[in-house]
Amino acid sequence: MIKIYTLGGYEEVGKNMTAVEYNGEVVIVDMGIRLDRVLIHEDVEFQKMSSKDLRKLGAIPDDRPIRNKKVVAIALSHGHLDHIGAVGKLAPHYPDVPIYGTPYTIRLAKSEIKGEEYFEVTNPLYETNYGEIVQVSENLAIEFVQITHSIPQSSIVVIHTPEGAVVYACDYKFDNNHPYGERPDYKRLKELGKEGVKVLIAESTRVAEETKTPSEAVAKMLLEDFFLYEGMEADGLIATTFASHIARLQELIEIANKMGRQAIFIGRSLAKYTGIAKQLGLIKMKGSRVLRSPNAVSKVLKEVSQARENYLLIVTGHQGEPGAILTRMANGELYDIGPRDTVVFSAGVIPNPLNVAQRYALETKLRMKGVRMIKNLHVSGHASKEDHRYLIRMLNPEYIVPAHGEFRMLTHYAELAEEEGYMIGKEVFISRNGHVVEIPGSLEG
Ligand SMILES: [Zn+2]
């Protein structure tokens, strides 16, 4: 019998963790953190804290239901922190169990582990390519299927069991016009549907949106439409977006080059994500510059403020995070931001109350300084209702477990599943953190 342990991300957007058990053996998928629970305590030093204290804060999943099980592999779906941010804290509970993911994901996980100051992590990490099927025990194999999201090398994780496949689709969208050629592997997804999918575990964050999520090409067009028109007149230009959104950063570099400005990246997380992307050939940094040390930041920003028209600054702080570059600028540090500057938000506001409040404070401070603001030049990386419907139809799963969302999001997903002919409680299971969904055995048996 297959059991799905819904450990984290079933009551919130964040700290995703799921475990799939077959015949006493377990594959863990994702070990995420919930950043708002860390950020709300100003004195929290995440890297130095024990998993017990972080669990009490609600910042990382509670993995006690599987602690004594025979875990044979840990699979990471993609490199966002709400999927890999707790690896340094939780992988040590499963010493020496191998961790798998695509190359970009694994390198980001390694950088999380390197920063870990409380535990020693002994798990070997393996970079796995799309399409490779890794046998992790006699009965179980895992596979990473190429999919599009808002970070490079995202995957749909498949756990192959003798009773059929368990497919984990958190997070994804179907981008059919990605500007840099990333593509969903429709062929493989359809094959899986034919071979037989036992369970689909799918994200729910945007399932209530009655549309199909637009391609990243639309975000590129929104940015070009603003920056690259003949009447464009601006002095200082500052853009901010997700540091892990490599495609978006590439678009901004190209725009800066076309405008004859130099793109300058400022902020620690931007340096981290672009640095690893560059190692793997996932971003072309030509014409741009990355500032790493605090000294370089203050020196270069002094130069920039004397000749603003020559630069496009790309900075951290789109959610108003304390300590991020844009937040510090708005507080009057680093750079004399003011009426000569335009700030472009290439990101939406993440809908949790802490982000909403911090972003509100940031915008108010910028407005008080006379800064011009352009908001929402952005499209989401998450599947909307029609992406989800398409995935259900391609995979034709026997059972569905909605994941990655608050209760109302999971129920919205369940409603979609009912539209597609499934029944809540019989074939669709809404779970909570820490619970187990027992999947009925093979129907032919
Ligand atoms: Zn994600």
Side-chain angles (χ1 to χ4, degrees), residues 123-264:
N123 309 64
L125 289 100
Y126 297 107
E127 296 183 5
T128 313
N129 294 314
Y130 291 133
E132 225 177 286
I133 296 179
V134 186
Q135 200 71 38
V136 293
S137 77
E138 205 186 311
N139 280 322
L140 301 177
I142 57 175
E143 177 184 358
F144 297 88
V145 177
Q146 182 172 18
I147 197 64
T148 42
H149 181 37
S150 46
I151 184 168
Q153 299 187 347
S154 293
S155 62
I156 286 182
V157 181
V158 184
I159 298 124
H160 294 280
T161 82
E163 283 189 25
V166 177
V167 176
Y168 175 93
C170 310
D171 303 329
Y172 78 101
K173 74 174 181 185
F174 288 124
D175 192 329
N176 300 318
N177 291 283
H178 192 279
Y180 304 107
E182 291 180 29
R183 296 278 295 160
D185 189 347
Y186 291 115
K187 184 167 165 267
R188 184 61 185 139
L189 291 171
K190 285 177 182 166
E191 270 171 22
L192 287 165
K194 290 213 176 79
E195 289 167 14
V197 173
K198 191 76 180 174
V199 189
L200 167 62
I201 302 165
E203 67 147 317
S204 318
T205 56
R206 283 178 69 86
V207 68
E209 303 289 328
E210 299 198 306
T211 184
K212 184 205 163 291
T213 303
S215 166
E216 179 59 24
V218 173
K220 183 169 190 264
M221 179 65 81
L222 290 171
L223 289 169
E224 288 175 354
D225 203 46
F226 172 73
F227 284 108
L228 300 177
Y229 72 104
E230 276 178 73
M232 175 65 182
E233 256 182 65
D235 199 0
L237 282 179
I238 301 166
T240 182
T241 188
F242 300 90
S244 57
H245 202 321
I246 297 302
R248 195 68 56 81
L249 299 175
Q250 184 72 73
E251 290 153 24
L252 288 166
I253 292 173
E254 289 173 9
I255 283 169
N257 289 342
K258 281 184 187 156
M259 295 179 86
R261 292 183 180 229
Q262 183 177 43
I264 302 185

Side-chain angles (χ1 to χ4, degrees), residues 381-419:
H382 292 278
S384 301
K385 189 173 184 178
E386 294 308 314
D387 302 75
H388 285 302
R389 191 191 305 280
Y390 195 31
L391 186 66
I392 292 173
R393 289 184 181 180
M394 261 189 293
L395 295 178
N396 192 25
E398 280 181 50
Y399 299 94
I400 297 179
V401 180
H404 198 183
E406 296 164 11
F407 184 70
R408 68 187 161 87
M409 299 170 181
L410 307 183
T411 57
H412 277 131
Y413 193 105
E415 278 174 359
L416 166 66
E418 287 213 324
E419 281 179 29

Side-chain angles (χ1 to χ4, degrees), residues 24-178:
E25 292 181 329
V26 173
V27 173
I28 296 173
V29 191
D30 287 344
M31 291 178 162
I33 57 168
R34 187 171 166 186
L35 272 177
D36 60 325
R37 289 287 169 89
V38 181
L39 292 173
I40 203 162
H41 302 274
E42 276 164 31
D43 52 344
V44 160
E45 287 188 87
F46 181 76
Q47 272 80 12
K48 293 184 180 162
M49 286 176 70
S50 72
S51 50
K52 195 175 161 197
D53 290 338
L54 286 163
R55 192 179 74 223
K56 283 185 183 155
L57 284 179
I60 65 170
D62 183 348
D63 65 336
R64 283 176 297 179
I66 59 162
R67 201 75 75 75
N68 298 315
K69 301 263 176 203
K70 188 182 172 198
V71 176
V72 294
I74 299 166
L76 303 175
S77 62
H78 65 289
H80 282 150
L81 288 175
D82 56 341
H83 294 259
I84 68 163
V87 163
K89 305 295 178 189
L90 296 178
H93 295 162
Y94 313 94
D96 305 325
V97 170
I99 301 176
Y100 301 92
T102 59
Y104 193 55
T105 311
I106 288 296
R107 291 193 197 192
L108 289 170
K110 278 184 180 164
S111 108
E112 286 306 304
I113 286 169
K114 215 168 129 200
E116 172 61 31
E117 290 177 39
Y118 189 89
F119 286 108
E120 202 184 326
V121 183
T122 58
N123 309 64
L125 289 100
Y126 297 107
E127 296 183 5
T128 313
N129 294 314
Y130 291 133
E132 225 177 286
I133 296 179
V134 186
Q135 200 71 38
V136 293
S137 77
E138 205 186 311
N139 280 322
L140 301 177
I142 57 175
E143 177 184 358
F144 297 88
V145 177
Q146 182 172 18
I147 197 64
T148 42
H149 181 37
S150 46
I151 184 168
Q153 299 187 347
S154 293
S155 62
I156 286 182
V157 181
V158 184
I159 298 124
H160 294 280
T161 82
E163 283 189 25
V166 177
V167 176
Y168 175 93
C170 310
D171 303 329
Y172 78 101
K173 74 174 181 185
F174 288 124
D175 192 329
N176 300 318
N177 291 283
H178 192 279

